[in-house]
Amino acid sequence: FSNTINTTRQMPNVKICGLPKLPREAAKRLELLRNTNQYNLEREMYEVYTDMLRRNEEIGMSDLDLQGPTSFHTRMDTIRPKVEQQYHTANKRLAIAKRIAGSSKEPEELVKSKELLRSELEAVEEAQHAAKAYTLMVRLFAKVIDRVSDAVAEREVQKSIRP
């Protein structure tokens, strides 16, 4: 990865052809999250990726877009621990909610327990969506790096042919 980035340092912004778009299901999820004004980790990842695609279309990508402090890679590195924490916390809270629901005996307690379980299940689903989105982002960025490597190699060949 770093070798690819180092060779791009000599180049200005370059439009990279063939970057993968978000899959249809992910694009639908992003649209749903936008329409419901939900901003969570899943949406943040989708937005970061679509911003990178938009930037590539408009002005191309530089080495900072690939490795700088605001790059997709750097932002995913900061999001990953949050996704992991959200996933573990949601599952832990669901386990606690199940124990509480199992010990409820009074009708009022049962109603509250069901509400608690429903709420914690929604949190687990949100965490699962975020984990799935992160896995997708890793796969998509691997393809982006392949495309960048190809563009760098092509640029080097062109330089050797026409110095």
Side-chain angles (χ1 to χ4, degrees):
F1 178 71
S2 60
N3 290 339
T4 302
I5 301 302
N6 288 337
T7 56
T8 62
R9 290 196 192 287
Q10 299 126 7
M11 294 188 291
N13 286 3
V14 177
K15 289 189 179 185
I16 309 297
C17 298
L19 293 183
K21 297 194 182 326
L22 280 177
R24 188 173 293 134
E25 181 182 317
K28 285 181 182 179
R29 283 283 305 160
L30 175 58
E31 194 62 33
L32 173 70
L33 293 169
R34 284 176 175 164
N35 289 339
T36 58
N37 290 323
Q38 291 183 33
Y39 199 85
N40 56 22
L41 289 172
E42 178 187 14
R43 179 174 172 185
E44 183 177 354
M45 287 181 276
Y46 292 147
E47 295 285 4
V48 168
Y49 188 76
T50 56
D51 288 348
M52 182 185 68
L53 293 178
R54 190 176 315 111
R55 179 171 174 76
N56 181 57
E57 287 287 319
E58 292 171 0
I59 62 172
M61 295 174 67
S62 70
D63 60 324
L64 287 176
D65 294 321
L66 298 168
Q67 192 177 4
T70 60
S71 71
F72 178 81
H73 186 263
T74 302
R75 291 177 74 186
M76 286 297 111
D77 280 350
T78 61
I79 291 172
R80 190 191 86 238
K82 294 175 188 177
V83 171
E84 291 171 351
Q85 180 65 38
Q86 179 186 26
Y87 189 81
H88 293 299
T89 301
N91 282 302
K92 192 180 287 185
R93 289 177 56 103
L94 178 62
I96 292 168
K98 285 179 180 178
R99 283 197 302 267
I100 291 170
S103 67
S104 300
K105 294 184 172 118
E106 300 293 319
E108 281 182 21
E109 289 178 356
L110 286 172
V111 170
K112 288 181 182 177
S113 295
K114 282 183 180 180
E115 290 173 12
L116 178 63
L117 276 173
R118 189 175 307 116
S119 170
E120 296 307 325
L121 277 171
E122 288 173 5
V124 167
E125 286 178 10
E126 182 177 321
Q128 288 172 337
H129 282 293
K132 185 177 177 182
Y134 182 81
T135 302
L136 173 64
M137 294 300 109
V138 168
R139 283 196 340 259
L140 290 175
F141 195 65
K143 291 178 183 177
V144 167
I145 292 302
D146 286 344
R147 299 292 194 277
V148 170
S149 297
D150 293 346
V152 168
E154 183 179 325
R155 197 49 85 92
E156 293 301 316
V157 168
Q158 287 176 351
K159 280 183 184 178
S160 68
I161 294 172
R162 291 178 263 159

